Structures are given as C-alpha cells and as structure tokens.
C-alpha cells in the first residue's frame, strides 16, 4: 500500500487496490494487550462512534511511557468537564443580539446585588461588608495582605520621620519574608486587608518578599482566574433558569381576600417581600427562585402562605419542606389555621396514607421533612416548593432541592442563609427579599456571655420562672441531657421539666413540644432540634451550654427562639473556660455579642463566611485559591470582577473558517495505514469530531489510541493540527501563520481577554514571547524552528491560552 499524504486533513492518496472494510463502532473497552496509560471513556456514553473493528488487535504503535502533549491536554479537558453531564459542555445557542441583552440583564442583576452588599457602608464605619481593614484594629502579630506587595505580619503603628520632612507622622510597620516595610496610616487604610483563611488556622504558608513582586502578582492572577471561573459558572446557571418557562399565575380577588385576613399590620420590608413574590408568580414566565431572608419572628411565614395560596388556587400542588419534625408540625398547624376558611384546599402532614392522595392530586398542600424528596413521593402537579432553613439539610437533599428549581417555583425562607445562598443573593444571581424591620412590639434580646457557673445558671432560670415564663436549655449533644435534668430537678423540685431530642420517637417528641407550647412544661432541656421555627410566646429565656461547640449561624438561630413577645428576652451563653477555646470560637462569640440589634441575621451570615470556612461556599477546590490571597482580598477581587463582567467575553469562530498555515504535510506510513480498518473513514471521523467540539475530539483520540495504540509521528501531527484548529475556533482565532522567526495569530479577542489568558499561562516561555498588536497575537521566536517543532510550539501555546476558556463568557 502506498503512503498516505496529509496535505490537508481530508485529502489523501490511497492505492486503488485497497479494499474497503466493514465499519464497526467501538462499543466495548479495548481488549488488546498494550493498554494505554490513560483511562478509556466508556463508548456507550461518547458522542462520536468510530469505525474501528470490535475484533482484538495488537497495536503496532505502543503507548510511550511518558505522556505526550495530546495526552496531557486530554487530561486537562477531562478535568474541566468532570462532573458535567453529557452534552452540557456545549454553550447555549444564542444570536449576538440575544447575547447582548443577556449580558446587560446580568450586569443589572449584579449591580443590584453589589448595591445591596454595600448598603450604607460609607455611613457605618467598621461595617461587616467593608473588606479593607482599619490599621488601628490590628494587633501585633496579625497577618495582613497589602494589595500590591502581598502577605506580611503586622508589627505595629508608631511615629516616624519621613524623608525631607521635619514632622513625624504615624506609620504602619509590616514584616515581610526579606525585610520590614513602613507605610503611612492613611495609605495603609486604603491598601490593607486582614488575612483570613478558610479553616481554623490563620497562618499563611509563607510571607511575601519585598524583593519579588512578581511572585505576588502571579498569586493574584491565579485568584483572579479562579474568580472568573466562578462568575462564568454562575452566569451559566442563571441563564439556564432564564431559559425555563411556565405560564404566569392569575391574579384573583380571592388572593386579596386571603391577604386581608392577616391579623397584623405588615412592616415595610414585609410589604415589599409580598410584592416581590407576587410579581415573580403572576408577572414572570420564568420559575421563581427567591430567598426570603428575615430575622426570627419577622413574618417570613406569611410571605410563604400567600405564595402557597396563589399557586394552589390555580390548581397546582405546594410542598412545604422543613428540616425537623418539630418545625414541620408547626408549619402544618399554622397552614391549617390560616386555610381553615377554605375547606376545598386540603393540607396534610406527611404520613404513609397520604402518599397516594398526593400522587393522584387529591392533596393541595403537603408538609413534611426531607422524606418528601424521596422517590416514594410522586406529585401530580407540583407548582411550588417552600424550603425552610435550607442550611439544615444534607448535601443530597440540597441537590434534590436544586433539581426542582428548573421546573417549579421555589421560595426559600431563612434567618441566616447558608453562605453560598447568601453569596448568590448578594451578587444578584438569585432574587432575594430582605425583611430587616422588626414588628413594632419586638424588643432586642439581651445576650449574656460568660464562663459556666451553677449560681448564674440557677439565677437566670429563677428570674424567668418568677415572672411566669418558660425556659429553653440547649446542649450540643444528647449525652448530658438527663444529667442536666437531674441537676435542675434538685433545684426546682416543683417545676415540670422535660427532655427533647431528635432520636426520640416522633410521637413522644411531638407530645413534649405540644405540652411545652401549651405551657404545661416550664423547662425544656433539648439539643439544637429547637433551632428552627419553634414559636413559644411565653418562653423568653434560653440557656446555651458549651457554646463553643455551636456554629455562629446556629447560635443566632437558637437565640431567636426567645423574644417573640413584648417581654424582654435573655440569652445566656455559657462556655467552659476561655483558655480552652480556639481563636475561631472566640471570634464567633464576639460577633454574636456585636449583633444584638434586631435584623442582623443577614449581616451575621456574611461575617460567618469568613470565620467558619470558605469550602462550603464555592466548593473545596477553590480554597487553595483563597489561601493564596486571603478571604477578604479574594472577595474584593470577586466584586471587582462582577462589576466588569462584560470585559471578559470571548466570541468563538466557526471551525471551518480557521486557517492553519504552517506548511507541514507529512505522510502516514503504509504499515500504519494497513493496521487501520478504514483509514479514509477514520480521517473523516477525526475531522467531524474536531468540528463538533474539543470534548468529541478528545474522545475520538482516546478511542483511536485504545484500538490501535499510540499513533506514529505523522498521525500525531495530523491530530495536533485538528486540535489547534478546534482550540483556535473556541477562543476566536481565525488564522495562524508563520513567517521566519515570527508566529502570528489573527483574532477577534479584546486586549483585556488576551491579558487574562496570557497572565494565566503556566509557561513563562510562551507568556513572555506573546504580544497583542491590533487584531493579532504575535510571537517572536529566538530562531526559526523546523516545521514539526514549530507545530508543537503552536500546539502548546494555543493549549495554554485555551486553558483559560472556563474563565471567559462564551456568549
């Protein structure tokens, strides 16, 4: 057989005596002895069916022990697609006008989020949303981040003389790895951030060097690229939601009547939340995904009740999801009472016998715990999901809740949102209504934080009982509840005391809660099962023991169990001994003491993000990027990125329009051609895969190698040309050419996009050789390379630029 000439990817010469062979699709894992070192993508899940034989073949060209450039690129592509369902990597189809409208809409959303974030930060010094640090609040030994120099250790503030001045001014002194720096206090207040890490330790891996500014710039760039990737991911989620459609719900007179039955005068924030939710349901065609963030007792439930009535009146079902039986029972009681005048609307708490009724549409409202998310519960016509305290659910339940958001309206109620939820609300990717004005009769809760003392404990309980009230006594674990009960029974022998926790039978737990609500039980000793939603008007003292074992959001929620009436409420927080507490625990307690005013749950959760860990916000993979610069500076960069979202937009070009003019046309060796089942068909399939997307090309290459082993050099050159064209098309490069020592790339990308791409390149050689000139990217090489080496240089350079694609908006 003659050699195969690859002068273009699809044109080649083949001996006329070559017989066409039967085509097969690769359906099974390869069975030859020489397996490649990389994993095989299951062909049942691939997009590209290849014309390879299913018979066992022994490849003539073996996989080399070292990974070649194509294998390295394929691994990176697989990592980027990890966890995405098949086909989800392809971008939504949009014309340029629609894309412009979408970008503008996202920018408006983000501006609203940023406005909400900033609030009145100028008027309130030391506001939790101000990420820069006041130098006077730092203690000697604290770690700080200087925007332009990097991470150092704060030494102190003292007066010193500046050059050419006879007057001493205050300077901030910061220790770095290779020396001491000083800067005026005014300048420091504009440039310094406190260094916080997403875990208990606050110590950075290393201090920055004053003499090596480049290392800090690289760390900043890494963080910036990580941020850009998060922003793009969020935009794609937001776009997916915007693409969903459902008819708006009708506005009815019955809705007005239902609203009029609310026995209280709504606060201004509550009124706005009512308007927001009704607008979502009756004026929009996209499913609602709204967060109602309101402090305990501020009226979130009424917002949910009106949404439920609107949806159920239109013939749809509503599900109310609560994290505990106690809270589910309370919701059921409130809904039953509020809907008692509407006998045609049937509401049931979750029970076995009601599952069939739900399935056949005989129930309108079903209230329950996470078991409502299970496969046994089938809904006839679900329209609304109300989730109370989403942060209390597990990962799998949260994923199930997220899956509902593409098809039904979702309303989430919480006083302290989980950090990710809060983050989405702040940045405008998720609609949020904030109820921060308390009802007129509410009085702030007095918080007392002290070391545990039996005398203080008895005194606090006695004070509440003497004024006719009831007491919550909360411990972090079930072990110890009975001990406390025995101790209290000795001190208060004539008082009814009971124990409640999540491992009790549900009937016993419900009965205990009912007796406490009716005032028959005066002291309830319990775990944090009472954290959410329990509304006992007469319980106005809460004791929390071993407070250091609770999260900040938990403590805030627990404290909110009291103070529901016009009587002054008290929260007594006891810790064993301050010397036993971690820095993180001490900071958590200090934050809680600061947030004594009503309506601070929203701000508190933002503070908590920095204290108790960053991994829960964006996922663990980002924690390393945060560690590079610290949380506070990371957030500053995040909001800067959000405000310039349209600056990092890449516009791809059609694959067929990309020209690669490098004058390299090798020939496939005849023995390799003989080993292929149908060489012409395989080359055609390679071109089709490249035209589809990079993922398909990766699958094609790996399946080819699995069937026939590592390809010869000439076939590798062909594959590299296909990869170069595909990646160039993705990032907006229309032509690649070489002229002597110069390589040019004609492109439609902006200078800012090029800078982000170039800054994120891991290879200094490639990064330092590239310059942006008008509509071209140019590289001046040290010498004119042989054609095969030149192709390899271009391949690696384009692959590095392409690696930045997940951080760019692709619409």
């Amino acid at each position: 057989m003659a050699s195969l000439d690859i002068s273009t990817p699809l044109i080649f010469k083949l001996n006329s005596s070559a017989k066409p062979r039967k085509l097969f699709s690769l359906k099974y894992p390869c069975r030859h002895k020489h397996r490649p070192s990389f994993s095989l993508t299951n062909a049942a899940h691939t997009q590209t069916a290849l014309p390879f034989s299913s018979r066992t073949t022994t490849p003539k060209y073996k996989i080399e022990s070292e990974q070649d450039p194509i294998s390295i690129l394929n691994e990176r592509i697989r990592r980027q697609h990890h966890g995405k369902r098949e086909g989800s990597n392809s971008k939504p189809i949009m014309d340029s006008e629609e894309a412009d409208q979408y970008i503008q809409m996202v920018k408006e959303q983000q501006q609203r989020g940023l406005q909400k974030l900033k609030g009145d930060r100028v008027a309130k010094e030391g506001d939790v949303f101000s990420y820069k640090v006041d130098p006077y609040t730092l203690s000697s030994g604290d770690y700080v981040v200087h925007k332009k120099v990097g991470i150092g250790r704060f030494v102190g503030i003292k007066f010193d003389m500046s050059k050419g001045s006879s007057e001493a001014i205050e300077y901030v002194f910061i220790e770095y790895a290779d020396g001491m720096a000083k800067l005026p206090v005014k300048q420091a207040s504009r440039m310094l951030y406190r260094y916080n890490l997403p875990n208990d330790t606050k110590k950075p891996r290393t201090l920055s060097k004053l003499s090596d500014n480049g290392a800090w710039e690289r760390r900043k760039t890494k963080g910036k690229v990580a941020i850009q990737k998060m922003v793009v991911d969020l935009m794609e989620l937001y776009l997916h939601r915007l693409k969903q459609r459902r008819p708006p719900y009708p506005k009815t007179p019955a809705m007005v009547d239902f609203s009029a039955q609310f026995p209280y005068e709504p606060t201004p924030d509550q009124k706005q939340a009512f308007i927001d939710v009704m607008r979502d349901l009756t004026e929009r065609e996209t499913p609602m995904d709204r967060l109602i963030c309101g402090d305990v007792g501020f009226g979130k439930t009424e917002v949910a009740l009106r949404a439920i009535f609107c949806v159920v009146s239109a013939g749809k079902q509503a599900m109310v999801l609560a994290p505990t039986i106690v809270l589910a029972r309370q919701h059921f009681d409130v809904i039953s009472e509020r809907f008692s005048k509407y006998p045609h609307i049937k509401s049931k708490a979750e029970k076995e016998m009601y599952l069939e009724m739900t399935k056949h549409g005989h129930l309108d409202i079903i209230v329950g715990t996470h078991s409502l998310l299970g496969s046994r519960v089938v809904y006839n016509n679900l329209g609304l999901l109300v989730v109370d305290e989403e942060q209390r659910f597990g990962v799998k339940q949260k994923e199930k809740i997220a899956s509902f958001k593409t098809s039904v309206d979702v309303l989430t109620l919480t006083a302290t949102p989980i950090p990710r939820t809060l983050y989405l609300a702040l940045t405008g990717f998720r609609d949020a209504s904030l109820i921060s004005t308390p009802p007129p009769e509410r009085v702030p809760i007095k918080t007392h934080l002290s070391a545990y003392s039996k005398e203080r404990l008895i005194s606090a309980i006695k004070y509440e009982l003497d004024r006719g009230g009831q007491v919550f006594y909360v411990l972090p674990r079930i072990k110890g509840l009975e001990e406390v009960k025995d101790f209290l029974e000795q001190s208060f022998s004539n008082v009814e005391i009971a124990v409640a926790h999540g491992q009790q039978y549900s009937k016993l737990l419900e009965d205990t809660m009912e007796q406490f609500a009716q005032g028959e039980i005066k002291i309830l000793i319990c775990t944090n099962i009472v954290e959410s939603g329990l509304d006992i008007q007469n319980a106005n003292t809460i004791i929390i023991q071993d407070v250091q074992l609770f999260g900040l959001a938990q403590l805030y929620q627990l404290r909110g169990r009291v103070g529901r009436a016009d009587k002054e409420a008290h929260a007594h927080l006891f810790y064993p001994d301050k010397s036993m507490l971690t820095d993180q625990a001490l900071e958590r307690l200090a934050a809680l003491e600061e947030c004594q005013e009503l309506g601070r749950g929203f701000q508190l959760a933002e503070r908590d993000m920095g204290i108790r860990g960053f991994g829960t916000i964006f996922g663990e993979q980002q924690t390393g990027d945060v560690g590079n610069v610290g949380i506070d500076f990371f957030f500053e960069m995040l909001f800067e990125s959000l405000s310039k979202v349209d600056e990092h937009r890449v516009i791809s070009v059609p694959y067929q329009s990309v020209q690669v003019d490098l004058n390299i046309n090798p020939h496939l060796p005849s023995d390799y051609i003989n080993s292929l089942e149908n060489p012409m068909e395989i080359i055609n399939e390679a071109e089709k895969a490249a035209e589809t997307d990079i993922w398909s090309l990766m699958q094609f290459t790996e399946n080819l190698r699995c069937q026939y082993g590592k390809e010869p050099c000439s076939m590798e050159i062909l594959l590299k040309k296909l990869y170069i064209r595909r990646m160039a098309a993705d990032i907006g490069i229309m032509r690649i050419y070489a002229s002597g020592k110069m390589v040019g790339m004609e492109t439609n990308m902006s200078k800012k996009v090029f800078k982000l791409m170039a800054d994120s390149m891991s290879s200094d050689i490639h990064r330092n050789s590239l310059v942006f000139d008008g509509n071209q990217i140019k590289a001046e090489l040290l010498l004119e390379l042989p054609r095969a080496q030149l192709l390899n240089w271009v391949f690696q350079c384009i692959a590095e630029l392409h690696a930045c694609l997940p951080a760019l908006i692709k619409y």
Side-chain angles (χ1 to χ4, degrees), residues 109-357:
Q109 282 283 86
Q110 288 162 346
Q111 286 306 314
R112 282 198 287 274
L114 289 167
Q115 199 174 351
K116 188 178 290 185
L117 174 82
K118 289 169 184 171
D120 54 354
R121 64 190 284 180
V122 178
K124 281 168 123 180
E125 194 180 353
D127 188 86
V128 288
F129 293 134
S130 181
Y131 291 106
K132 292 183 181 71
V133 66
D134 179 353
Y136 292 107
T137 64
L138 293 168
S139 304
S140 182
D142 285 352
Y143 291 99
V144 292
V145 178
H146 186 287
K147 202 170 187 174
K148 293 187 176 174
V149 182
I151 300 165
R153 188 186 290 109
F154 176 76
V155 176
I157 299 174
K158 59 181 178 180
F159 282 93
D160 201 5
M161 304 289 282
S162 61
K163 283 182 183 176
S165 172
S166 58
E167 194 178 331
I169 62 167
E170 279 190 300
Y171 282 92
V172 174
F173 286 80
I174 303 170
E175 179 192 350
Y176 287 94
D178 57 349
M180 187 77 70
K182 69 173 187 178
L183 64 160
V185 168
K186 275 190 179 179
Q187 187 187 336
S189 62
R190 293 194 305 270
M191 303 298 283
L192 289 185
Y193 302 80
R194 193 182 292 276
Y195 181 83
N196 286 319
L197 268 182
N199 47 39
D200 283 333
T201 174
K202 298 201 173 181
K203 189 175 179 181
R205 291 190 296 274
T206 56
L207 296 182
S208 300
K209 290 183 178 180
L210 292 166
S211 58
D212 187 6
N213 192 246
W216 171 243
E217 286 300 321
R218 285 191 292 276
R219 289 172 83 166
K220 276 204 304 187
T221 299
K222 199 175 175 190
K224 187 176 181 180
V225 172
I227 285 166
Q228 277 295 125
K229 285 178 182 173
M230 290 191 299
V231 170
V232 170
D233 285 346
L234 289 168
M235 287 184 75
E236 288 178 354
L237 286 171
Y238 184 63
L239 175 63
H240 184 67
R241 195 182 122 219
L242 290 177
K243 291 277 184 183
Q244 306 306 310
R245 288 287 180 270
R246 57 110 176 95
Y249 288 94
K251 296 177 182 178
T252 63
M255 188 70 236
V256 179
D257 294 340
F258 182 82
S259 302
Q261 291 166 27
F262 185 51
Y264 307 101
E265 176 62 31
T267 62
D269 284 351
Q270 219 178 355
K271 285 178 183 173
Q272 188 56 52
F274 295 151
I275 292 167
D276 291 343
V277 172
M278 283 305 114
R279 190 181 291 132
D280 289 348
L281 292 173
T282 62
E283 296 178 20
R284 288 186 181 177
E285 292 186 343
T286 51
M288 173 176 69
D289 180 16
R290 182 167 290 276
L291 173 70
I292 305 293
C293 181
D295 218 328
V296 284
F298 278 29
K300 300 185 297 292
T301 307
E302 178 61 21
V303 179
L305 291 173
R306 295 187 186 191
I308 290 168
F309 186 87
C310 177
V311 168
V312 170
S313 298
K316 295 264 191 175
Q317 292 174 310
M319 170 178 26
V320 180
L321 199 60
T324 63
I325 294 169
V326 172
L327 186 52
R329 183 77 215 178
Q330 184 173 321
H331 277 307
F332 176 70
D333 292 341
V334 169
I335 292 168
S336 299
E337 184 183 346
R338 194 82 165 75
F339 283 80
S340 58
K341 293 184 180 177
Y342 303 87
H344 64 286
I345 295 176
K346 295 184 178 68
S347 172
K348 294 291 178 187
E350 166 213 332
K351 289 266 173 69
E352 192 72 30
M353 60 181 285
Y354 300 128
L355 296 181
E356 280 298 308
M357 293 175 70

Side-chain angles (χ1 to χ4, degrees), residues 353-398:
M353 60 181 285
Y354 300 128
L355 296 181
E356 280 298 308
M357 293 175 70
T358 305
K359 183 178 178 180
H360 294 104
H362 301 297
L363 276 183
D364 301 298
I365 307 167
I366 183 161
V367 183
T369 57
H370 59 84
S371 58
L372 289 182
L373 299 170
S375 56
R376 293 171 63 239
V377 187
V378 179
Y379 296 91
N380 180 270
N381 193 14
L382 186 66
L384 175 69
L385 169 63
V386 177
V387 186
D388 200 358
E389 301 301 346
E390 188 179 351
Q391 75 273 13
R392 297 284 304 279
F393 291 95
V395 174
K396 284 186 179 176
Q397 281 106 35
K398 284 176 189 163

Side-chain angles (χ1 to χ4, degrees), residues 530-545:
V530 297
E531 179 185 326
S532 303
L534 206 61
D535 190 355
I536 313 293
Q537 295 282 316
N538 196 42
N540 282 296
T541 291
I542 185 165
I543 312 285
I544 305 174
Q545 191 174 311

Side-chain angles (χ1 to χ4, degrees), residues 551-600:
L552 185 56
Q554 278 185 311
L555 291 173
Y556 190 80
Q557 289 282 73
L558 285 167
R559 191 177 65 174
R561 294 310 101 217
V562 297
R564 295 295 187 106
D566 55 1
K567 206 183 284 185
E568 185 176 64
H570 296 267
H572 295 268
L573 281 51
F574 291 115
Y575 52 85
D577 183 345
K578 271 199 176 174
S579 63
M580 295 169 65
L581 302 184
T582 63
D583 289 344
Q584 196 182 21
L586 289 169
E587 195 172 345
R588 201 182 285 144
L589 300 184
L592 197 75
E593 279 193 304
E594 286 170 26
C595 292
Q596 289 204 33
E597 63 183 85
L598 292 166
R600 290 299 298 275

Side-chain angles (χ1 to χ4, degrees), residues 88 101 180 232 271 282 302 360 392 430 451 502 578 592 602 653 658 672 708 735 779 800 804:
S88 67
Q101 288 174 356
M180 187 77 70
V232 170
K271 285 178 183 173
T282 62
E302 178 61 21
H360 294 104
R392 297 284 304 279
R430 184 174 177 184
K578 271 199 176 174
L592 197 75
F602 200 65
V653 296
V658 178
Y672 184 68
Y708 297 108
R735 179 176 174 241
E800 289 236 5
C804 191

